[in-house]
């Protein structure tokens, strides 16, 4: 554990150094990057050692004779720690050139400071071993990320995003508090150890409360409303961390609570799979409807959380129906996807960050043709897209493959587990297809074709550390995709901490799976290289010329005539119109000499739409009625406090 | 193993021949003589001899498109048992792998189309991205059906040896649904009437042909070879399903398999000559039919197995 604390102190020191030396812009950035990266590397090493050794470390500090701050690092924590430190390392490296804004050195330093706090608090959340430590770290995490979301506070939409995020993270925290309240009521202690002694009803209630609380952090439909607002508002390396790892602390919470409760109720599995299928499909449908590249990536995180939930739910169904293979495949597939999603999503956010940084616009329909001048970013983005679509031989496929195998285990079961498994498999298939559509769209509109506006013309990439970070993540995606064995074993080792009752998981049948993925990947690589060789053999000494795209006889094409993102996605989104209403504005062409017309379309998020009249407005109405309490008179407030104390005295 | 590789090579080299059967059938229905059965080889050789013109809008992705889509189709055939023989490679879960492999090919076909900045190709790409989503769901429904019957997740378990015959014995009637569902998937995935029309060029109604509009020379030849192989892949599955006989006489299995292939290609040709292409917004309903059929088939087997 000492290595872990040394690592997080180093990260904190990085943030502090940056804040103290804010006036020296270069020194501030370099100090933050170096110290935070060093801390992340140290922490990563500590986490991987724990994971491979399958040992549990724990430590606790007493605070003022009041309570203990207890930390424990088992393999599950270590797995999440490894993911956190890995992605934050890359984000820290990326931030060095990304935050190169000499005009606002203090703002940069403050961002670096809150970034270091966010990293540390995430690490503390996944190692917290009692209620107080957990909630303390959880709140620090929510608050530090709130300050990162409102980094660019001058824009109204960013303030709105920050506000939304604040509300959602605290309402979520309330649910988590309520769940812990149940724990405390039954066990009488702040520790996690006696939780399995709860009555069954209390366990189910607690699980539902925690699922809502952690689900709102993870971005589970319909509690994801904050996510598409908050992620685009933050700077891109922060979006990468928030989307890649911070929302995974919600997943960690659900898993941890599930293992603490030790109640193999099948209903948990059904609930989680259902939430997963809905989040997965709707997440990617909404992603298809977006025009803002970072919002699109944020919605795609909702989709990937869906895939992770499907895996976890299948694992829970497997536990409930006493099918150890299904349980292990489901959970380890989910965890493996946690790692994979962290890698490719942060890669994609960094790629998008480069695009936004260089072109100054987040609107996809204003871009185009960037692949020609931004080769490294472009190809890194292609790798990320292939990985997120779950295509072999990239890492996304490896994770989804394991989840599929878990789902098929459930097909052999009967009745409800069978139906749930069918839903999970078909859900995964539909998500996969939609993701392919979604990311070919991003690629085609942003990186390929011709530049649509001046903003996208002749933009080159800059920033060596930004390219390094993307290159590193892209390489990791390919390596895990081709050789998933070692990484998959890490997630298996994390599953062993879940109290499933399978003392040691037999690795042989699972090693076979990864071996097959490697074999398949080799088949692809060999055939693609073979065909490429064949192609260049056919092309030797052949006349090759360049000319304009064939415009089907049309002689004056303009870049405006290209297919846009909205037109690409229209049919697909329309297919899902009950859940994704499309709003179109198109003043009709009238008269003999019609004036210029315009077309505008927006895809609405049904959760956001229903929450406004159903939840937000009634609450606002209620609080409007109560506004008279807040008088502004300090004497009155002191009076309130007195009254509260007197009232409380009656109850004690 | 050696036998399997020879069969795989034979499949790759005869795929263009079988595609010509469709042309012949269409010509027959049109009252014409039609092109010779070796026409596709002529086309391929002609294309391989040519040079290429690349659009100034394109990037290296445009050149990767044909390579990857052709490689994906060839790789898919490696996993498929041909004429009841074991495939070259087989493992638990290879069915899922192959479906995603074809997805990889599709990704690069779409990316290559979007690379040209042409509105037509964008239109085709959007459709190519849309319809296979439903197809994939139907494919997985069929896999669930097969898994329910056999407990295995590999092509070898379904289509090699007496595996398919066993399937018919357990769940004959519902397997008929699966055959029809598979046929709809074949039509959609390989751009055939009534979903797409391989004969139209330059209309707003087509999918695959418009996406490859800007490819020329050997690049285009690779695309054509890939699509012949893809059609062969689905036709071989159907052939295994409709004529699953294992006679025990050496060579007879191969003949039965070829007969099955010819039947499938003939049916494709007949449908292409007698039915008009559907309106694009009706296509999703048509493709969903295959999902529904596979779903019903699975529901029926639930009763049979218990």
């Amino acid at each position: 554990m000492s290595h872990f604390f040394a690592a997080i102190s180093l990260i904190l020191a990085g943030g502090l150094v940056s804040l103290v030396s804010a006036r020296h812009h270069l020194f501030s950035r370099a100090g933050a990057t170096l110290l935070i990266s060093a801390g992340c590397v140290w922490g990563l090493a500590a986490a991987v050692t724990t994971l491979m050794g399958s040992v549990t470390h724990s430590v606790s500090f007493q605070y003022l004779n009041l309570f203990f701050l207890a930390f424990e690092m088992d393999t599950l924590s270590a797995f999440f720690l490894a993911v956190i430190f890995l992605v934050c390392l890359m984000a820290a490296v990326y931030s060095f050139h990304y935050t190169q804004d000499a005009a606002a050195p203090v703002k940069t330093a403050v961002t670096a400071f809150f970034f270091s706090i966010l990293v540390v608090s995430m690490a503390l959340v996944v190692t917290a071993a009692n209620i107080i430590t957990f909630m303390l770290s959880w709140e620090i995490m929510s608050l530090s990320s709130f300050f990162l979301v409102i980094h660019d506070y001058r824009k109204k939409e960013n303030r709105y995003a920050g506000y939304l995020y604040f509300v959602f993270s605290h309402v979520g925290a309330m649910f988590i508090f309520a769940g812990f309240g149940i724990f405390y009521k039954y066990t009488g202690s702040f520790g996690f150890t006696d939780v399995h002694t709860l009555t069954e009803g209390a366990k189910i209630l607690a699980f539902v409360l925690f699922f809502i609380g952690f689900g709102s952090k993870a971005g589970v439909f319909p509690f994801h409303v904050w996510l598409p607002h908050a992620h685009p508002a933050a700077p891109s390396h922060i979006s990468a961390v928030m989307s890649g790892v911070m929302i995974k602390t919600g997943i960690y919470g659900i898993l941890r609570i599930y293992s603490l409760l030790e109640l193999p109720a099948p209903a948990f599995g059904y609930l989680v799979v259902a939430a997963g299928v809905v989040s997965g499909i709707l997440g990617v449908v909404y992603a298809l409807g977006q025009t803002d590249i970072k919002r699109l990536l944020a919605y795609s995180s909702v989709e990937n959380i869906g895939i992770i939930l499907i895996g976890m739910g299948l694992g829970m169904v497997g536990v409930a129906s006493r099918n150890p293979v299904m349980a292990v495949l489901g959970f380890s597939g989910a965890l493996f996807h946690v790692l994979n999603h962290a890698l490719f999503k942060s890669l994609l956010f960094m790629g998008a960050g480069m695009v936004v940084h260089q072109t100054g616009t987040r609107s996809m329909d204003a871009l185009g043709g960037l692949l020609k001048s931004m080769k490294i970013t472009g190809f890194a983005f292609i790798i990320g897209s292939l990985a997120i679509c779950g295509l072999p031989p990239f890492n996304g496929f490896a994770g989804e493959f394991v989840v599929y195998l878990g789902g098929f285990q459930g097909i052999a079961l009967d009745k409800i587990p069978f139906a749930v498994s069918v839903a999970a498999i078909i859900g995964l298939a539909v998500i996969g297809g939609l993701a392919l559509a979604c990311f070919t769209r991003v690629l085609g509109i942003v990186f390929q074709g011709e530049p649509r506006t001046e903003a996208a013309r002749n933009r080159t990439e800059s920033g060596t550390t930004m390219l390094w970070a993307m290159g590193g993540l892209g390489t990791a995606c390919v390596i895990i995709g081709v050789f998933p064995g070692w990484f998959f074993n890490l997630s298996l080792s994390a599953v062993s901490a879940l109290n499933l009752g399978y003392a040691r998981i037999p690795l042989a049948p699972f090693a076979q799976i990864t071996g097959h993925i490697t074999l398949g990947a080799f088949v692809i690589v060999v055939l693609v290289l073979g065909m490429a060789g064949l192609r260049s053999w056919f092309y030797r000494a052949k006349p090759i010329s360049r000319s304009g795209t064939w415009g089907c006889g049309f002689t004056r094409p303009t870049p405006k005539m290209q297919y846009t993102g909205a037109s690409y996605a229209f049919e697909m989104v329309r297919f899902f119109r009950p859940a994704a209403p499309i709003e179109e504005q198109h003043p009709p062409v009238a008269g003999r000499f019609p004036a210029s017309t315009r077309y505008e379309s927006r895809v609405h998020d049904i959760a956001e739409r229903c929450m406004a009249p159903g939840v937000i407005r009634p609450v606002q109405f209620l609080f409007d009625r109560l506004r008279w309490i807040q008088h502004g008179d300090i004497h009155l407030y002191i009076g309130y406090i007195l009254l509260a104390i007197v009232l409380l005295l009656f109850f004690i | 193993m050696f036998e399997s590789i020879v069969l795989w090579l034979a499949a790759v080299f005869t795929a263009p021949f079988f595609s010509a059967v469709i042309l012949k059938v269409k010509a027959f229905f049109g009252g014409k003589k039609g092109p010779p059965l070796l026409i596709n080889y002529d086309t391929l050789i002609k294309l391989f001899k040519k040079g290429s013109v690349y659009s100034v809008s394109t990037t290296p992705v445009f050149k990767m498109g044909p390579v990857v889509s052709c490689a994906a189709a060839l790789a898919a055939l490696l996993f498929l048992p041909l004429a009841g023989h074991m495939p070259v490679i087989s493992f638990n879960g290879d069915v899922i792998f192959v479906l995603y492999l074809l997805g990889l090919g599709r990704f690069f076909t779409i990316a290559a189309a979007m690379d040209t900045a042409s509105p037509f190709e964008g239109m085709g790409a959007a459709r190519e991205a849309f319809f296979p989503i439903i197809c994939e769901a139907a494919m997985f429904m069929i896999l669930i059906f097969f898994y329910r019957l056999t407990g295995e997740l590999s092509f070898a378990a379904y289509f090699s040896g007496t595996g398919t015959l066993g399937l018919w014995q357990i769940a004959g009637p519902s397997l008929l649904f699966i055959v029809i569902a598979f046929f709809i998937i074949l039509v959609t995935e390989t751009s055939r009437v009534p979903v797409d029309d391989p004969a139209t060029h330059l209309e707003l109604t087509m999918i695959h042909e418009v996406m490859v509009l800007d490819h020329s020379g050997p690049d285009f030849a690779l695309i054509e070879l890939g699509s012949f192989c893809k059609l062969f892949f689905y036709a071989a599955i159907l052939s295994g399903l409709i004529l699953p006989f294992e006679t025990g006489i050496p060579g007879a299995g191969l003949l039965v398999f070829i007969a099955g292939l010819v039947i499938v290609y003939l049916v494709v040709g007949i449908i292409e000559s007698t039915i008009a292409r559907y309106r694009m917004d009706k296509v999703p309903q048509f493709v969903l039919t295959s999902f529904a059929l596979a779903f019903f088939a699975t529901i029926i087997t639930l009763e049979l197995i218990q």
Side-chain angles (χ1 to χ4, degrees):
Chain A
M1 244 5 222
S2 56
H3 284 288
F4 169 72
F5 284 109
I8 61 172
S9 328
L10 209 55
I11 295 170
L12 265 186
L16 283 172
V17 162
S18 157
L19 199 61
V20 169
S21 61
R23 296 283 160 206
H24 309 276
H25 190 46
L26 184 67
F27 179 76
S28 156
R29 280 189 299 132
T33 302
L34 280 178
L35 284 171
I36 295 177
S37 328
C40 286
V41 171
W42 198 340
L44 186 61
V48 173
T49 324
T50 311
L51 208 45
M52 288 174 68
S54 296
V55 280
T56 307
H57 304 287
S58 58
V59 65
S60 72
F61 310 100
Q62 196 171 14
Y63 182 74
L64 292 180
N65 261 343
L66 284 176
F67 52 80
F68 285 94
L69 288 179
F71 299 96
E72 188 177 278
M73 183 153 75
D74 59 2
T75 46
L76 184 65
S77 309
F79 184 82
F80 278 87
L81 275 182
V83 176
I84 289 169
F85 284 129
L86 184 62
V87 172
C88 292
L89 168 68
M90 289 303 179
V93 170
Y94 182 87
S95 74
F96 179 70
H97 273 122
Y98 183 78
T99 56
Q100 195 174 21
D101 180 10
V106 177
K107 210 157 102 178
T108 308
V110 171
T111 304
F113 175 67
F114 282 118
F115 174 56
S116 73
I117 294 193
L118 174 63
V119 180
V120 168
S121 57
M122 284 193 296
L124 291 181
V125 162
V126 297
T127 48
N130 67 20
I131 295 175
I132 292 183
T133 324
F134 189 91
M135 284 318 293
L136 205 61
S137 330
W138 186 265
E139 285 297 311
I140 298 173
M141 180 178 81
S142 296
L143 285 175
S144 56
S145 48
F146 164 74
F147 285 110
L148 291 166
V149 169
I150 56 162
H151 161 85
D152 205 356
Y153 57 88
R154 286 202 178 84
K155 281 191 197 141
K156 193 174 169 232
E157 52 171 304
N158 289 3
R159 289 199 302 273
Y160 175 70
Y163 170 71
L164 205 61
Y165 176 49
F166 196 83
V167 170
F168 266 85
S169 60
H170 284 86
V171 172
M174 282 300 135
F175 277 97
I176 300 172
F177 259 125
F180 280 136
I182 294 176
F183 279 13
Y184 188 75
K185 164 96 172 55
Y186 280 87
T187 62
S189 84
F190 287 122
F192 285 153
T193 39
D194 300 323
V195 172
H196 58 271
T197 58
L198 264 64
T199 60
E200 196 163 311
K203 280 181 179 178
I204 291 172
L205 179 62
F207 186 80
V208 172
L209 286 173
F210 278 116
F211 187 72
I212 296 174
F214 287 126
S216 81
K217 179 61 80 183
V220 177
F221 185 90
F223 316 117
H224 70 282
V225 175
W226 62 273
L227 200 146
H229 292 276
H231 289 197
S236 292
H237 64 291
I238 306 295
S239 318
V241 169
M242 282 177 75
S243 203
V245 288
M246 194 192 77
I247 59 172
K248 309 290 167 50
T249 54
I251 296 294
Y252 168 81
I254 297 171
L255 271 177
R256 178 60 78 192
I257 295 301
Y258 178 76
S259 84
L260 285 175
L261 290 175
E262 291 183 20
L263 174 70
F268 291 173
Y270 307 153
L271 171 73
V272 175
V273 169
V277 171
V278 173
S279 308
I281 295 179
L282 291 188
V284 68
V285 168
Y286 294 141
L288 260 172
Q290 298 308 311
T291 50
D292 176 332
I293 181 168
K294 285 180 78 179
R295 250 177 97 96
L296 181 146
L297 292 176
Y299 268 117
S300 135
S301 290
V302 176
E303 168 220 333
N304 280 281
I305 287 293
I307 296 175
I308 294 168
L309 286 183
I310 290 175
M312 273 164 58
L314 289 171
M316 292 176 190
V317 172
V319 173
S321 47
R322 297 200 170 72
N323 185 340
V325 180
M326 180 178 174
V328 174
L329 281 175
F331 282 121
S332 58
L335 285 172
F336 198 21
H337 198 77
V338 165
L339 169 69
N340 293 332
H341 176 245
L343 293 174
F344 53 65
K345 185 47 67 68
S346 41
L347 170 61
L348 290 169
F349 260 117
M350 288 177 188
M354 176 72 94
V355 170
V356 176
H357 197 257
Q358 299 301 102
T359 62
T361 176
R362 295 207 307 247
S363 166
M364 293 174 32
D365 287 334
L367 300 166
L370 291 175
L371 189 59
K372 270 175 238 130
S373 51
M374 300 170 85
K375 288 216 165 50
I376 299 176
T377 311
F379 279 98
F381 205 91
I382 291 177
I383 289 176
S385 305
L386 287 163
I388 203 168
C389 296
L391 297 173
F394 297 91
N395 62 350
F397 175 74
E400 281 185 39
F401 188 67
V402 177
V403 178
Y404 268 123
L405 292 184
F408 274 101
Q409 289 287 325
I411 296 300
L413 301 171
D414 262 323
K415 304 218 166 64
I416 306 180
F418 167 75
V420 168
S421 308
V422 170
I425 292 169
I426 300 300
L428 276 175
V430 172
I431 293 168
L434 284 167
L436 193 143
C438 182
F439 281 89
T440 47
R441 171 172 173 259
V442 184
L443 211 60
I445 305 297
V446 175
F447 286 97
Q448 299 182 307
E450 291 290 329
R452 286 176 175 76
T453 58
E454 276 308 309
R457 202 172 294 279
N458 297 325
R459 296 294 159 162
T460 52
E461 48 204 350
S462 74
T464 331
T465 62
M466 290 161 84
L467 298 177
W468 281 352
M470 285 190 279
L473 287 167
T475 317
C477 286
V478 177
I479 289 177
I480 298 180
V482 181
F483 303 103
W486 189 75
F487 302 92
F488 183 61
N489 280 349
L490 293 186
S491 65
L492 280 177
S493 158
V495 173
S496 67
L498 278 176
N499 284 335
L500 297 180
Y502 319 125
R504 289 295 295 170
I505 300 165
L507 288 178
F510 302 107
Q512 238 180 9
I513 295 172
T514 55
H516 290 155
I517 296 175
T518 308
L519 172 69
F522 271 107
V523 170
I524 299 176
V525 171
V526 166
L527 272 171
V528 167
L529 287 181
M531 298 310 284
L534 196 70
R535 179 183 171 280
S536 55
W537 187 74
F538 276 118
Y539 269 111
R540 83 213 124 85
K542 283 276 180 65
I544 290 173
S545 56
R546 292 183 83 82
S547 154
T549 298
W550 189 45
C552 306
F554 191 74
T555 48
R556 291 289 299 276
T558 77
K560 276 194 166 178
M561 289 168 62
Q562 285 175 86
Y563 229 48
T564 61
S567 41
Y568 190 89
F570 189 79
E571 285 292 319
M572 283 171 263
V573 177
R574 212 173 59 135
F575 190 76
F576 290 92
R577 59 187 169 266
I582 306 179
E583 183 190 302
E584 289 175 283
Q585 284 188 344
H586 182 47
V589 180
R592 287 199 179 75
F593 301 102
S596 66
T597 183
R598 66 197 170 82
Y599 173 84
E600 221 180 293
S601 72
R602 264 175 69 93
V603 176
H604 285 285
D605 184 335
I606 190 114
E608 210 171 328
R609 253 201 171 179
C610 294
M611 247 177 225
V615 182
I616 298 169
R617 254 175 247 150
V619 171
Q620 264 180 348
F621 178 79
L622 183 71
F623 286 127
D624 264 355
R625 294 287 97 89
L626 290 173
R627 194 162 278 171
W628 55 270
I629 296 178
Q630 202 170 19
H631 199 272
D633 188 349
I634 195 98
H635 301 97
L636 210 56
Y637 291 162
I638 294 171
Y640 289 158
I641 294 171
L642 262 176
L643 196 69
I645 290 172
V646 170
L647 276 178
L648 277 175
L649 282 176
F650 281 106
F651 290 101
I652 295 169
Chain B
M1 186 68 180
F2 176 71
E3 219 173 19
S4 309
I5 294 177
V6 170
L7 270 173
W8 176 70
L9 285 173
V12 173
F13 281 105
T14 53
F17 169 81
F18 285 106
S19 287
V21 172
I22 300 177
L23 296 177
K24 211 62 175 170
V25 174
K26 281 168 85 173
F28 171 78
F29 273 84
K32 290 181 272 190
K33 190 161 157 267
L37 279 170
L38 298 179
I39 176 79
N40 285 330
Y41 295 99
D42 283 347
T43 318
L44 285 180
I45 291 168
K46 186 179 74 191
L47 286 172
F48 273 126
K49 278 183 184 162
K50 286 188 172 179
S52 276
V53 183
Y54 291 107
S55 155
V56 282
S57 302
T58 58
T59 61
V61 175
F62 185 75
K63 294 172 189 168
M64 277 158 79
V67 170
V68 178
S69 63
C70 185
L74 293 185
L77 278 176
L78 277 177
F79 290 88
L80 190 69
L82 298 167
H85 287 274
M86 280 300 280
V88 183
I89 305 167
S90 169
F91 55 75
N92 179 29
D94 62 5
V95 204
I96 303 169
F97 183 78
V98 167
L99 287 181
Y100 273 76
L101 191 64
L102 293 172
L104 182 75
R106 191 181 315 133
F107 185 100
F108 274 93
T109 314
I110 295 175
M114 295 299 283
D115 221 18
T116 57
S118 152
F120 296 104
E121 299 192 30
M123 207 176 279
R127 288 165 185 162
E128 174 83 0
F130 180 24
F131 301 143
I133 298 172
I134 312 172
C135 267
E136 225 160 67
M139 274 302 265
F140 272 97
M141 204 63 230
I142 292 171
L143 282 190
I144 289 170
F145 173 87
F146 281 151
Y147 188 86
R148 193 76 197 178
L149 295 184
T150 61
E152 300 265 357
L153 260 184
S154 69
F155 281 120
Y158 312 146
F159 301 117
S160 68
T162 53
T164 329
L165 217 52
L167 289 180
W168 279 102
Q169 273 156 9
I170 310 170
S174 46
L175 209 55
L176 275 177
F177 283 159
I178 296 293
V179 170
I180 302 170
F182 242 122
F183 193 79
I184 295 177
I185 291 171
L186 173 142
V187 164
T188 317
E189 288 274 356
T190 59
S191 339
R192 293 275 147 192
V193 176
V195 172
D196 186 7
D197 193 344
T200 56
H201 288 276
L202 254 197
E203 268 185 64
L204 304 183
T205 50
M206 51 203 181
I207 307 170
H208 184 260
E209 292 305 316
V210 74
M211 290 174 64
V212 298
L213 211 58
D214 255 272
H215 289 278
S216 52
D219 276 342
F220 191 53
L222 287 181
I223 290 176
E224 290 281 284
L225 183 63
S227 64
F228 293 143
C229 287
K230 206 169 161 188
L231 182 55
F232 190 92
F233 173 80
Y234 288 103
I237 291 179
L238 269 175
S239 162
L241 269 180
I242 55 175
L243 295 177
F245 305 111
E246 183 65 28
T247 48
I249 310 159
L254 191 63
L255 287 179
V256 172
F257 177 68
I258 292 172
L261 279 177
V262 171
I263 293 174
V264 174
Y265 279 93
L266 281 177
V267 173
V268 172
I270 292 170
I271 287 181
E272 216 154 89
S273 328
T274 50
I275 297 183
R277 193 184 34 71
Y278 288 151
R279 241 170 65 191
M280 275 299 164
D281 54 345
K282 299 285 175 219
V283 169
Q285 294 165 17
F286 172 69
V287 187
L288 267 176
T289 315
S290 75
F291 179 80
L293 286 171
F295 189 75
F296 284 134
T298 314
I299 299 292
I300 294 168
T301 51
L302 285 185
E303 286 303 310
L304 286 174
I305 287 177
Q306 279 161 19

